[in-house]
């Protein structure tokens, strides 16, 4: 994935773990991107970030090098280091959704948003030692098509949410 590029990720992978790690390493400042998900049938997928040195044979969120939200139909969970937190939000039953991801290295924040209702879904506080991350997607048990959209300005509702953290 290159910055400013629209990337479509399908489900044609060889391994049993269907992860996609971005080729852009983010290491300073703040970044915002969106992921459009189109689903067909029962599906589970994850959107997140990972260190470049993450385990390429593991699902994102299952170790200390990756963070994600997992989408299971209308239900969501947040994962890091194989620990999960239920996200107190149900998605609409629409077959498509758009999620925002906001990463701020100065504040050591990673946030996930439901773009359709402009709502914060989950916030991770990153460890001070985290110095670079890549966008990551996981389609292990999925019939979804995920489209990553980069080069976007951070929406105002995300900026307002960030002000609450200061």
């Amino acid at each position: 994935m290159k910055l400013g590029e629209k990337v479509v990720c399908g489900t044609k992978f060889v391994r049993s773990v269907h992860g996609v790690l971005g080729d852009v390493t983010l290491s300073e400042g703040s970044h915002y991107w969106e992921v459009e998900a189109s689903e067909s049938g029962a599906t589970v997928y994850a959107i997140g970030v990972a260190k470049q040195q993450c385990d390429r044979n593991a699902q994102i969120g299952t170790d200390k090098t990756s963070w994600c939200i997992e989408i299971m139909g209308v239900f969501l969970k947040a994962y890091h280091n194989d620990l999960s937190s239920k996200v107190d939000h149900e998605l609409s039953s629409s077959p498509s959704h758009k999620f925002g991801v906001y990463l701020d290295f100065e504040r050591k924040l990673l946030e996930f948003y439901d773009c359709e209702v402009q709502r914060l879904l989950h916030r991770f506080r990153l460890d001070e030692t985290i110095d670079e991350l890549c966008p990551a997607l996981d389609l292990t048990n999925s019939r979804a098509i995920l489209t990553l959209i980069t080069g976007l300005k951070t929406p105002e509702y995300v900026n307002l949410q960030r002000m609450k953290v200061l």
Side-chain angles (χ1 to χ4, degrees):
M1 300 177 254
K2 302 283 187 218
L3 288 175
E5 178 181 33
K6 196 171 188 176
V7 179
V8 178
C9 303
T11 57
K12 296 179 181 173
F13 295 89
V14 178
R15 298 175 305 167
S16 60
V17 174
H18 306 302
V20 179
L21 186 64
D23 62 358
V24 173
T25 301
L26 308 170
S27 59
E28 59 185 28
S30 61
H31 306 272
Y32 177 81
W33 63 94
E34 292 178 350
V35 178
E36 291 179 349
S38 302
E39 305 168 16
S40 61
T43 191
V44 178
Y45 56 94
I47 296 165
V49 296
K51 287 185 153 190
Q52 192 71 28
Q53 311 86 339
C54 68
D55 181 353
R56 304 294 174 102
N57 293 309
Q59 292 178 313
I60 60 174
T62 59
D63 65 14
K64 63 183 179 180
T65 65
S66 60
W67 298 255
C68 73
I69 56 167
E70 182 180 65
I71 297 89
M72 302 150 291
V74 298
F75 302 104
L76 301 113
K77 282 189 177 181
Y79 281 91
H80 171 61
N81 207 16
D82 216 17
L83 299 173
S84 69
S85 303
K86 183 178 183 285
V87 175
D88 188 26
H89 177 71
E90 279 189 30
L91 298 173
S92 69
S93 58
S94 167
S96 64
H97 300 283
K98 188 185 289 187
F99 301 94
V101 182
Y102 179 77
L103 174 61
D104 187 331
F105 279 97
E106 279 183 34
R107 293 186 178 93
K108 298 297 184 186
L109 289 177
L110 172 64
E111 298 174 333
F112 295 93
Y113 289 87
D114 180 336
C115 296
E116 291 157 22
V117 295
Q118 300 181 350
R119 183 178 191 272
L120 176 66
L121 297 172
H122 191 78
R123 174 181 294 128
F124 287 103
R125 291 268 186 199
L126 301 174
D127 187 287
E128 289 297 320
T129 62
I130 302 299
D131 56 357
E132 57 182 39
L133 294 168
C134 301
L137 305 171
D138 193 307
L139 295 146
T140 299
N141 300 307
S142 183
R143 298 167 131 188
I145 295 173
L146 302 180
T147 305
L148 184 99
I149 306 162
T150 64
L152 302 172
K153 284 183 67 174
T154 303
E156 190 58 33
Y157 69 89
V158 173
N159 289 328
L160 291 172
Q161 186 66 43
R162 250 187 25 238
M163 298 305 282
K164 294 178 183 178
V165 178
L166 301 176

